[in-house]
Amino acid sequence: MSWWDIGEGSGYRSYNGDLPVDLVTCGFCGEEGRFGFKSRLTKKNAAESKTLHYDVLVCEQCGNLTSVFWGMGSSGLVRFHQVPWPRKTTGWPKHWPDDVGRYWVQAKRSIEVSNYDAAALMARSAVQLVLRYQNASGKNLFQEIEDLGARGLLPPVMIEWAHEVRELGNDNAHPIPGASGTTSADAQAVVEYLRMLLKVIYDLPHQIEEHRGRKA
Ligand SMILES: [Zn+2]
């Protein structure tokens, strides 16, 4: 395994052929996906079939720098390594409800220590809580998510994505004897969905509010 193999076999989907900045977390302030580029260097292999990227990102929230080394595999998946990396998740933005924030921290920390059943359970509960705060109606999570879509609170891509997240369809909150454990992929998928839901429902309106306030 060479560094030139980065992104071959596994990684994140990139929608524009570039680094999925959304997935980078500032190691200083914990902000996710709000970066500008300070510098971008690349190096191609001899056959010019693969490019390694050396980006320096600047956090829009705290101004600190993060180095991201990344590459895209032949199937289009991106894998990256960053320095500095986020330490333990301990907090959440003030504009989230406290109970949602608590569930979020527990879901994240469960992922950090590979407790995937716990992570999926907490993430699913947090999604449920966000939907309740929005007075979503429906008999299950999918219907409630679709309700938010119908009311213009979630974009169509979030509704589509929900159906790809297996743990959101796992409506049985009660343990079943002999059930197999949650895989790391399924746990991460539901935590990533939760993070984007929080972004759309709480972070975006908050950021827009900040921008409008600044102009006024
Ligand atoms: Zn930061």
Side-chain angles (χ1 to χ4, degrees):
M1 185 74 181
S2 144
W3 284 112
W4 285 100
D5 297 323
I6 192 165
E8 305 298 344
S10 71
Y12 298 102
R13 239 184 300 170
S14 166
Y15 292 95
N16 55 6
D18 204 344
L19 173 70
V21 174
D22 266 10
L23 301 177
V24 181
T25 302
C26 177
F28 296 90
C29 72
E31 183 70 11
E32 295 182 1
R34 280 177 75 195
F35 296 94
F37 288 100
K38 183 97 174 162
S39 77
R40 308 203 76 179
L41 296 174
T42 57
K43 174 88 175 77
K44 280 188 159 70
N45 61 1
E48 304 222 327
S49 56
K50 178 97 180 220
T51 306
L52 297 183
H53 298 259
Y54 304 81
D55 289 339
V56 176
L57 276 54
V58 54
C59 174
E60 284 177 12
Q61 176 156 285
C62 73
N64 285 299
L65 303 180
T66 299
S67 302
V68 181
F69 168 74
W70 65 279
M72 184 180 287
S74 36
S75 59
L77 296 176
V78 165
R79 192 116 210 141
F80 69 86
H81 298 278
Q82 69 172 87
V83 181
W85 56 87
R87 313 304 297 250
K88 271 186 208 153
T89 307
T90 52
W92 60 87
K94 284 192 290 290
H95 55 269
W96 296 359
D98 279 346
D99 42 7
V100 171
R102 264 197 338 267
Y103 282 22
W104 156 253
V105 166
Q106 290 175 52
K108 275 292 269 192
R109 295 196 66 166
S110 297
I111 291 274
E112 286 160 7
V113 296
S114 308
N115 288 339
Y116 300 124
D117 288 322
L121 193 66
M122 292 315 295
R124 224 183 142 274
S125 303
V127 168
Q128 208 149 39
L129 209 46
V130 172
L131 294 168
R132 297 234 162 104
Y133 272 113
Q134 302 302 315
N135 299 313
S137 64
K139 289 196 193 78
N140 55 45
L141 284 188
F142 289 141
Q143 286 183 8
E144 290 179 39
I145 288 168
E146 274 159 14
D147 179 51
L148 292 203
R151 286 160 48 203
L153 294 170
L154 283 182
V157 67
M158 286 292 291
I159 319 299
E160 266 171 54
W161 183 12
H163 289 277
E164 294 164 21
V165 179
R166 290 210 309 186
E167 284 301 315
L168 289 178
N170 177 13
D171 262 327
N172 200 334
H174 307 289
I176 308 163
S180 55
T182 310
T183 65
S184 87
D186 281 344
Q188 275 171 24
V190 65
V191 170
E192 276 166 21
Y193 188 86
L194 167 64
R195 185 64 190 92
M196 195 53 76
L197 182 69
L198 293 167
K199 195 164 283 217
V200 173
I201 297 292
Y202 296 118
D203 295 352
L204 285 181
H206 177 76
Q207 281 170 29
I208 291 167
E209 212 41 44
E210 277 184 335
H211 283 291
R212 294 174 78 182
R214 230 176 276 159
K215 282 204 180 104

